[in-house]
Amino acid sequence: MAAGKRKFVSNSQDSVRMFKSDFFEALSKVHFTVPLYLFIPVIIYCFYRSSLTGMALWEYPADFLAGMLVWTAVEYVMHRYVFHFELPGTIGRRLHFIIHGVHHDYPSDRLRLVMPPSLSIPLAIAFFYLFKACIPDRYF
Ligand SMILES: [Zn+2]
């Protein structure tokens, strides 16, 4: 955000309505534990798949650390340059608010502390194929 721009931040823990449609509104909310239920089984499955490749035991923590570093960098770049990118005009402001702005304007909204599955699952699939294209086949 540019210096001098007015910044709204609510202290309310309530969830602000984002969509007129009840369907889209429901898809925009999630309890903060839901990503754990979704992605921990995927992580366990990935560990299982990697155990079939004959990886040495020492490679697991090394690869885990490398994955954490890469994902942290990717997440930072996404947050800094994609989630905070705002197209001009009313539609651009609205799109930015829906994608990420609500997270900053209502930081205590208990149902929007994490990315909802309606967005995180497609992003996870896209990143899986992006990383699969960039990382040697022996890791998949
Ligand atoms: Zn942000």
Side-chain angles (χ1 to χ4, degrees), residues 62-78 127 130-132 134-135 140:
D63 292 347
F64 180 79
L65 184 62
M68 293 294 283
L69 291 173
V70 168
W71 181 246
T72 299
V74 167
E75 198 170 36
Y76 172 78
V77 169
M78 289 266 303
F127 275 110
L130 175 69
F131 290 138
K132 189 171 171 51
C134 299
I135 296 173
F140 289 94

mmCIF file of all heavy atoms in Angstrom, residues 62-78 127 130-132 134-135 140:
data_model
loop_
_atom_site.group_PDB
_atom_site.id
_atom_site.type_symbol
_atom_site.label_atom_id
_atom_site.label_comp_id
_atom_site.label_asym_id
_atom_site.label_seq_id
_atom_site.Cartn_x
_atom_site.Cartn_y
_atom_site.Cartn_z
ATOM 1 N N ALA A 62 16.345 -33.314 4.760
ATOM 2 C CA ALA A 62 16.969 -32.355 3.845
ATOM 3 C C ALA A 62 15.941 -31.850 2.824
ATOM 4 O O ALA A 62 15.843 -30.643 2.560
ATOM 5 C CB ALA A 62 18.166 -32.991 3.137
ATOM 6 N N ASP A 63 15.165 -32.770 2.268
ATOM 7 C CA ASP A 63 14.149 -32.375 1.288
ATOM 8 C C ASP A 63 13.020 -31.594 1.948
ATOM 9 O O ASP A 63 12.469 -30.660 1.356
ATOM 10 C CB ASP A 63 13.596 -33.597 0.571
ATOM 11 C CG ASP A 63 14.635 -34.254 -0.327
ATOM 12 O OD1 ASP A 63 15.687 -33.621 -0.563
ATOM 13 O OD2 ASP A 63 14.393 -35.383 -0.781
ATOM 14 N N PHE A 64 12.677 -31.982 3.172
ATOM 15 C CA PHE A 64 11.633 -31.248 3.899
ATOM 16 C C PHE A 64 12.078 -29.801 4.114
ATOM 17 O O PHE A 64 11.322 -28.866 3.865
ATOM 18 C CB PHE A 64 11.346 -31.928 5.244
ATOM 19 C CG PHE A 64 10.282 -31.242 6.045
ATOM 20 C CD1 PHE A 64 8.939 -31.425 5.751
ATOM 21 C CD2 PHE A 64 10.624 -30.399 7.099
ATOM 22 C CE1 PHE A 64 7.953 -30.796 6.482
ATOM 23 C CE2 PHE A 64 9.645 -29.759 7.836
ATOM 24 C CZ PHE A 64 8.311 -29.965 7.529
ATOM 25 N N LEU A 65 13.327 -29.626 4.554
ATOM 26 C CA LEU A 65 13.861 -28.279 4.764
ATOM 27 C C LEU A 65 13.909 -27.499 3.450
ATOM 28 O O LEU A 65 13.506 -26.326 3.413
ATOM 29 C CB LEU A 65 15.264 -28.363 5.381
ATOM 30 C CG LEU A 65 15.907 -27.032 5.737
ATOM 31 C CD1 LEU A 65 15.088 -26.294 6.796
ATOM 32 C CD2 LEU A 65 17.331 -27.247 6.232
ATOM 33 N N ALA A 66 14.356 -28.148 2.377
ATOM 34 C CA ALA A 66 14.391 -27.478 1.070
ATOM 35 C C ALA A 66 12.984 -27.071 0.648
ATOM 36 O O ALA A 66 12.764 -25.960 0.151
ATOM 37 C CB ALA A 66 15.024 -28.400 0.027
ATOM 38 N N GLY A 67 12.019 -27.966 0.872
ATOM 39 C CA GLY A 67 10.629 -27.655 0.531
ATOM 40 C C GLY A 67 10.090 -26.487 1.334
ATOM 41 O O GLY A 67 9.405 -25.614 0.789
ATOM 42 N N MET A 68 10.409 -26.451 2.621
ATOM 43 C CA MET A 68 9.959 -25.341 3.467
ATOM 44 C C MET A 68 10.561 -24.013 2.996
ATOM 45 O O MET A 68 9.870 -22.995 2.960
ATOM 46 C CB MET A 68 10.347 -25.587 4.929
ATOM 47 C CG MET A 68 9.615 -26.743 5.571
ATOM 48 S SD MET A 68 7.845 -26.459 5.734
ATOM 49 C CE MET A 68 7.821 -25.364 7.122
ATOM 50 N N LEU A 69 11.842 -24.035 2.641
ATOM 51 C CA LEU A 69 12.503 -22.814 2.170
ATOM 52 C C LEU A 69 11.907 -22.338 0.852
ATOM 53 O O LEU A 69 11.609 -21.155 0.679
ATOM 54 C CB LEU A 69 14.014 -23.035 2.032
ATOM 55 C CG LEU A 69 14.779 -23.222 3.349
ATOM 56 C CD1 LEU A 69 16.232 -23.610 3.086
ATOM 57 C CD2 LEU A 69 14.704 -21.955 4.191
ATOM 58 N N VAL A 70 11.723 -23.273 -0.081
ATOM 59 C CA VAL A 70 11.161 -22.905 -1.397
ATOM 60 C C VAL A 70 9.742 -22.391 -1.225
ATOM 61 O O VAL A 70 9.372 -21.348 -1.770
ATOM 62 C CB VAL A 70 11.211 -24.103 -2.370
ATOM 63 C CG1 VAL A 70 10.375 -23.826 -3.614
ATOM 64 C CG2 VAL A 70 12.655 -24.420 -2.754
ATOM 65 N N TRP A 71 8.930 -23.116 -0.428
ATOM 66 C CA TRP A 71 7.540 -22.691 -0.266
ATOM 67 C C TRP A 71 7.449 -21.339 0.448
ATOM 68 O O TRP A 71 6.612 -20.503 0.102
ATOM 69 C CB TRP A 71 6.714 -23.736 0.471
ATOM 70 C CG TRP A 71 5.298 -23.274 0.584
ATOM 71 C CD1 TRP A 71 4.623 -22.947 1.716
ATOM 72 C CD2 TRP A 71 4.400 -23.016 -0.505
ATOM 73 N NE1 TRP A 71 3.363 -22.504 1.407
ATOM 74 C CE2 TRP A 71 3.203 -22.534 0.045
ATOM 75 C CE3 TRP A 71 4.505 -23.135 -1.890
ATOM 76 C CZ2 TRP A 71 2.103 -22.183 -0.737
ATOM 77 C CZ3 TRP A 71 3.410 -22.780 -2.674
ATOM 78 C CH2 TRP A 71 2.226 -22.318 -2.096
ATOM 79 N N THR A 72 8.303 -21.104 1.436
ATOM 80 C CA THR A 72 8.308 -19.810 2.124
ATOM 81 C C THR A 72 8.617 -18.689 1.140
ATOM 82 O O THR A 72 7.963 -17.632 1.156
ATOM 83 C CB THR A 72 9.333 -19.820 3.278
ATOM 84 O OG1 THR A 72 8.955 -20.846 4.211
ATOM 85 C CG2 THR A 72 9.394 -18.486 3.987
ATOM 86 N N ALA A 73 9.603 -18.909 0.269
ATOM 87 C CA ALA A 73 9.954 -17.894 -0.736
ATOM 88 C C ALA A 73 8.799 -17.685 -1.719
ATOM 89 O O ALA A 73 8.444 -16.542 -2.047
ATOM 90 C CB ALA A 73 11.227 -18.306 -1.473
ATOM 91 N N VAL A 74 8.189 -18.786 -2.169
ATOM 92 C CA VAL A 74 7.065 -18.679 -3.112
ATOM 93 C C VAL A 74 5.891 -17.945 -2.456
ATOM 94 O O VAL A 74 5.280 -17.055 -3.051
ATOM 95 C CB VAL A 74 6.629 -20.083 -3.600
ATOM 96 C CG1 VAL A 74 5.287 -20.023 -4.326
ATOM 97 C CG2 VAL A 74 7.695 -20.691 -4.500
ATOM 98 N N GLU A 75 5.597 -18.313 -1.217
ATOM 99 C CA GLU A 75 4.490 -17.679 -0.505
ATOM 100 C C GLU A 75 4.750 -16.180 -0.301
ATOM 101 O O GLU A 75 3.843 -15.361 -0.443
ATOM 102 C CB GLU A 75 4.277 -18.379 0.833
ATOM 103 C CG GLU A 75 2.934 -18.091 1.434
ATOM 104 C CD GLU A 75 2.638 -18.977 2.621
ATOM 105 O OE1 GLU A 75 3.577 -19.288 3.380
ATOM 106 O OE2 GLU A 75 1.480 -19.361 2.782
ATOM 107 N N TYR A 76 5.998 -15.829 0.019
ATOM 108 C CA TYR A 76 6.326 -14.415 0.188
ATOM 109 C C TYR A 76 6.119 -13.657 -1.120
ATOM 110 O O TYR A 76 5.493 -12.594 -1.133
ATOM 111 C CB TYR A 76 7.776 -14.238 0.670
ATOM 112 C CG TYR A 76 8.175 -12.777 0.655
ATOM 113 C CD1 TYR A 76 7.755 -11.933 1.676
ATOM 114 C CD2 TYR A 76 8.889 -12.245 -0.405
ATOM 115 C CE1 TYR A 76 8.060 -10.591 1.653
ATOM 116 C CE2 TYR A 76 9.201 -10.902 -0.441
ATOM 117 C CZ TYR A 76 8.787 -10.078 0.586
ATOM 118 O OH TYR A 76 9.082 -8.747 0.542
ATOM 119 N N VAL A 77 6.639 -14.208 -2.205
ATOM 120 C CA VAL A 77 6.521 -13.537 -3.507
ATOM 121 C C VAL A 77 5.051 -13.417 -3.910
ATOM 122 O O VAL A 77 4.606 -12.362 -4.387
ATOM 123 C CB VAL A 77 7.344 -14.284 -4.588
ATOM 124 C CG1 VAL A 77 7.026 -13.780 -5.982
ATOM 125 C CG2 VAL A 77 8.835 -14.157 -4.292
ATOM 126 N N MET A 78 4.286 -14.508 -3.690
ATOM 127 C CA MET A 78 2.846 -14.460 -4.006
ATOM 128 C C MET A 78 2.157 -13.375 -3.187
ATOM 129 O O MET A 78 1.351 -12.599 -3.712
ATOM 130 C CB MET A 78 2.196 -15.808 -3.672
ATOM 131 C CG MET A 78 2.573 -16.914 -4.584
ATOM 132 S SD MET A 78 1.416 -17.115 -5.919
ATOM 133 C CE MET A 78 -0.104 -17.362 -5.062
ATOM 134 N N PHE A 127 0.239 -25.465 -8.192
ATOM 135 C CA PHE A 127 1.631 -25.476 -7.717
ATOM 136 C C PHE A 127 2.234 -26.868 -7.806
ATOM 137 O O PHE A 127 3.424 -27.001 -8.070
ATOM 138 C CB PHE A 127 1.730 -24.926 -6.287
ATOM 139 C CG PHE A 127 1.838 -23.433 -6.264
ATOM 140 C CD1 PHE A 127 0.794 -22.662 -5.808
ATOM 141 C CD2 PHE A 127 2.978 -22.805 -6.726
ATOM 142 C CE1 PHE A 127 0.879 -21.278 -5.808
ATOM 143 C CE2 PHE A 127 3.083 -21.433 -6.733
ATOM 144 C CZ PHE A 127 2.033 -20.665 -6.278
ATOM 145 N N LEU A 130 3.321 -27.125 -11.325
ATOM 146 C CA LEU A 130 4.448 -26.199 -11.558
ATOM 147 C C LEU A 130 5.738 -26.780 -10.981
ATOM 148 O O LEU A 130 6.773 -26.819 -11.662
ATOM 149 C CB LEU A 130 4.152 -24.834 -10.923
ATOM 150 C CG LEU A 130 5.292 -23.816 -10.994
ATOM 151 C CD1 LEU A 130 5.495 -23.367 -12.446
ATOM 152 C CD2 LEU A 130 5.012 -22.623 -10.101
ATOM 153 N N PHE A 131 5.680 -27.259 -9.735
ATOM 154 C CA PHE A 131 6.878 -27.844 -9.114
ATOM 155 C C PHE A 131 7.270 -29.134 -9.819
ATOM 156 O O PHE A 131 8.449 -29.419 -9.988
ATOM 157 C CB PHE A 131 6.656 -28.099 -7.622
ATOM 158 C CG PHE A 131 6.568 -26.830 -6.802
ATOM 159 C CD1 PHE A 131 5.626 -26.698 -5.796
ATOM 160 C CD2 PHE A 131 7.428 -25.774 -7.038
ATOM 161 C CE1 PHE A 131 5.534 -25.542 -5.044
ATOM 162 C CE2 PHE A 131 7.358 -24.608 -6.290
ATOM 163 C CZ PHE A 131 6.415 -24.490 -5.297
ATOM 164 N N LYS A 132 6.282 -29.893 -10.257
ATOM 165 C CA LYS A 132 6.569 -31.152 -10.963
ATOM 166 C C LYS A 132 7.333 -30.862 -12.261
ATOM 167 O O LYS A 132 8.205 -31.630 -12.653
ATOM 168 C CB LYS A 132 5.266 -31.889 -11.257
ATOM 169 C CG LYS A 132 5.434 -33.285 -11.797
ATOM 170 C CD LYS A 132 4.092 -33.981 -11.827
ATOM 171 C CE LYS A 132 4.106 -35.303 -12.539
ATOM 172 N NZ LYS A 132 5.091 -36.249 -12.182
ATOM 173 N N CYS A 134 9.385 -28.404 -12.631
ATOM 174 C CA CYS A 134 10.680 -27.789 -12.305
ATOM 175 C C CYS A 134 11.618 -28.719 -11.524
ATOM 176 O O CYS A 134 12.822 -28.472 -11.486
ATOM 177 C CB CYS A 134 10.472 -26.521 -11.470
ATOM 178 S SG CYS A 134 9.518 -25.248 -12.285
ATOM 179 N N ILE A 135 11.085 -29.729 -10.883
ATOM 180 C CA ILE A 135 11.871 -30.580 -9.978
ATOM 181 C C ILE A 135 12.073 -31.941 -10.637
ATOM 182 O O ILE A 135 11.169 -32.444 -11.317
ATOM 183 C CB ILE A 135 11.134 -30.706 -8.618
ATOM 184 C CG1 ILE A 135 11.049 -29.331 -7.952
ATOM 185 C CG2 ILE A 135 11.826 -31.716 -7.704
ATOM 186 C CD1 ILE A 135 10.216 -29.291 -6.702
ATOM 187 N N PHE A 140 8.762 -37.287 -7.644
ATOM 188 C CA PHE A 140 7.299 -37.409 -7.826
ATOM 189 C C PHE A 140 6.895 -38.832 -8.105
ATOM 190 O O PHE A 140 7.597 -39.677 -8.448
ATOM 191 C CB PHE A 140 6.840 -36.504 -8.975
ATOM 192 C CG PHE A 140 6.907 -35.054 -8.595
ATOM 193 C CD1 PHE A 140 8.023 -34.296 -8.892
ATOM 194 C CD2 PHE A 140 5.877 -34.476 -7.890
ATOM 195 C CE1 PHE A 140 8.107 -32.959 -8.515
ATOM 196 C CE2 PHE A 140 5.949 -33.138 -7.521
ATOM 197 C CZ PHE A 140 7.061 -32.378 -7.833
#
